[in-house]
Amino acid sequence: MIINHNLMANNALRNMNINSNNASKAMEKLSSGLRINRAGDDAAGLAISEKMRGQINGLNQASSNAQDSISLIQTAEGALNETHSILQRMRTLAVQSSNDTNTSTDRTSIQSEINQLTSEVNRIANTTEFNTKKLLNGDLQGVSDFQNAIQKSDSTFANGNVKISNATAGLSAFSSTDVVRVNFIKTVDSSGANLAGVVSTSGVSISTVLGNINVANVKISANKILISNGTHTLTLNVVAGDKVRSGDSITISLQSIQAAQTDSSKQVRAQIGANAGQELGIGISDMSSKALGLQKTDGTALDVTTQSHASGAVTLINNAIEKVSTERSKLGAFQNRLEHTINNLGTSSENLTSAESRIRDVDMASEMSDYSKNNILSQAAQAMLAQANQQPQQVLQLLR
């Protein structure tokens, strides 16, 4: 027996400290609800957990971003709804003015309302904002997919007797949308004549609605209608054998595509993912009167003060309505896509949160069992330490 070193007491003390330390860690986990409270608890698990937390926070913010983007789209689409209403009213006025029962005074009143409605379309385009960002003035048209659009000329014949084929050349040189009306006042003979018999504009009245194309630059020769913008000439072919008579008319709508936009900075970049580059570009076209083809290049509104101009204006307003419809449809598609994106982000965030929870969160039942075990072991070690401290006193029995 020795008395300088109480090895049994040292052993009991060491085990008691271990058990007390384990009980302390278990209590910390139970009180925080986390399995990892410091890097030492699980170094690898901590790194994985923090990476997942970054993804979860990014997904949640991306969902919020998508909701903000939907609000922006709804603001723009709501404004275009009113633009649609204005265009429908303008079309009604143009149809009204096309009727020759109206006097010049009547048409002047109609023109006055057309002018005001045109100004209101411009005001909506220039003042519609979301968080001070203008939406409909062309600042956000950004990258567009007009590169693959087909330029064309639509033609209608009043009595359905003549058909005009697509332009053979030159349409791409026209930068503005316009309507040209060709009215045949007389024909070569009473039986009717095709355009081959009309070698000039004699017997033909020609008018344009917006005036971007000069009437003097519209010619008829053989089976062709030649329209010039001063630099290039557009050739329209009339189907051979078709005939025209006095009172017949052809309305030609020149629809030129917009130049492709390649400036990606001029659009709304919606961050719809947790990582860099996970973006959605939202472009909103210019919805001003000039962009819709309702104004001349000098800013003058559609002219409906004559029957021919008013009739041609109907076509232009139809084109504008179609353009606004296309834009609203595009915005609706963006909104539907973003709604699906929000659902996907929510699912991803939920699943990542579940995975991160398995790494980071403590199993309360299991940890409570460990705490109880360590607490009992600590008490047992303390009791054994007391017994070990009593052991050297047995030496006194030998000293009697």
Side-chain angles (χ1 to χ4, degrees):
M1 300 181 68
I2 59 174
I3 60 173
N4 286 329
H5 295 86
N6 191 343
L7 298 179
M8 288 187 296
N10 290 340
N11 181 267
L13 178 61
R14 180 176 62 81
N15 284 298
M16 185 182 71
N17 289 335
I18 291 173
N19 294 328
S20 297
N21 186 47
N22 290 336
S24 177
K25 288 183 178 180
M27 183 176 292
E28 181 182 31
K29 294 176 182 179
L30 289 168
S31 61
S32 67
L34 297 174
R35 188 180 70 85
I36 303 174
N37 291 282
R38 59 180 64 84
D41 292 338
D42 185 350
L46 176 67
I48 296 171
S49 173
E50 287 298 333
K51 183 173 65 175
M52 285 185 172
R53 282 188 174 185
Q55 290 292 300
I56 293 168
N57 293 335
L59 289 170
N60 292 338
Q61 184 58 52
S63 178
S64 179
N65 291 348
Q67 290 170 344
D68 289 340
S69 299
I70 288 177
S71 297
L72 180 145
I73 289 172
Q74 288 176 332
T75 301
E77 200 271 330
L80 290 180
N81 179 56
E82 198 57 37
T83 299
H84 249 156
S85 298
I86 293 173
L87 293 177
Q88 292 291 355
R89 174 58 180 167
M90 291 177 69
R91 189 184 189 284
T92 300
L93 291 172
V95 172
Q96 180 183 359
S97 185
S98 298
N99 191 9
D100 261 340
T101 59
N102 292 291
T103 65
S104 59
T105 302
D106 297 332
R107 286 182 171 134
T108 299
S109 299
I110 293 173
Q111 182 66 54
S112 178
E113 185 173 353
I114 288 286
N115 293 341
Q116 292 299 319
L117 292 175
T118 302
S119 297
E120 181 60 17
V121 170
N122 281 330
R123 190 197 67 81
I124 291 173
N126 292 325
T127 61
T128 301
E129 297 179 349
F130 181 84
N131 193 27
T132 71
K133 186 186 293 290
K134 293 188 182 300
L135 304 180
L136 303 178
N137 66 345
D139 286 350
L140 302 179
Q141 55 187 346
V143 177
S144 62
D145 56 358
F146 290 114
Q147 292 93 331
N148 297 323
I150 299 176
Q151 230 170 358
K152 61 180 180 178
S153 60
D154 289 337
S155 306
T156 57
F157 186 69
N159 295 327
N161 298 324
V162 172
K163 295 181 180 179
I164 298 180
S165 65
N166 287 337
T168 57
L171 184 57
S172 59
F174 289 78
S175 59
S176 59
T177 300
D178 210 334
V179 171
V180 177
R181 296 199 71 216
V182 181
N183 300 303
F184 295 90
I185 300 173
K186 61 181 180 179
T187 54
V188 176
D189 55 56
S190 59
S191 63
N194 59 34
L195 289 182
V198 183
V199 296
S200 67
T201 55
S202 175
V204 176
S205 170
I206 298 174
S207 62
T208 61
V209 178
L210 278 180
N212 295 325
I213 297 176
N214 195 324
V215 175
N217 291 333
V218 182
K219 302 291 184 180
I220 296 178
S221 178
N223 282 324
K224 303 179 186 300
I225 298 177
L226 307 177
I227 302 174
S228 173
N229 63 0
T231 304
H232 299 84
T233 299
L234 172 65
T235 303
L236 300 177
N237 294 327
V238 178
V239 178
D242 289 332
K243 298 183 178 182
V244 294
R245 296 178 174 82
S246 297
D248 291 344
S249 63
I250 300 174
T251 300
I252 304 166
S253 174
L254 304 179
Q255 299 179 354
S256 59
I257 61 173
Q258 293 180 342
Q261 302 294 323
T262 57
D263 187 355
S264 60
S265 65
K266 290 186 176 181
Q267 62 179 330
V268 178
R269 304 297 299 180
Q271 178 69 32
I272 56 173
N275 303 316
Q278 296 179 343
E279 302 172 346
L280 170 64
I282 301 174
I284 305 176
S285 300
D286 186 354
M287 291 287 105
S288 64
S289 295
K290 187 174 293 185
L292 293 175
L294 301 176
Q295 282 184 319
K296 297 180 183 179
T297 53
D298 62 1
T300 307
L302 284 174
D303 182 8
V304 294
T305 56
T306 66
Q307 193 280 333
S308 61
H309 284 176
S311 180
V314 174
T315 301
L316 283 178
I317 297 172
N318 280 341
N319 293 341
I321 291 174
E322 181 180 351
K323 186 170 184 179
V324 174
S325 297
T326 299
E327 193 65 22
R328 291 184 68 182
S329 176
K330 182 179 74 175
L331 292 176
F334 277 131
Q335 179 174 339
N336 290 339
R337 177 178 176 179
L338 287 171
E339 288 175 351
H340 288 296
T341 297
I342 291 172
N343 293 337
N344 181 52
L345 289 171
T347 302
S348 298
S349 176
E350 179 183 347
N351 292 332
L352 266 179
T353 300
S354 176
E356 196 266 344
S357 174
R358 285 191 296 271
I359 297 173
R360 197 86 174 223
D361 291 341
V362 68
D363 184 336
M364 297 295 287
S366 175
E367 200 62 38
M368 193 64 203
S369 298
D370 288 342
Y371 173 74
S372 299
K373 177 191 70 174
N374 290 322
N375 197 29
I376 293 172
L377 288 174
S378 179
Q379 294 179 38
Q382 186 176 9
M384 292 305 99
L385 177 61
Q387 293 296 323
N389 287 334
Q390 293 295 323
Q391 191 70 20
Q393 295 182 8
Q394 297 178 11
V395 177
L396 296 176
Q397 300 297 326
L398 301 175
L399 300 177
R400 291 181 180 179

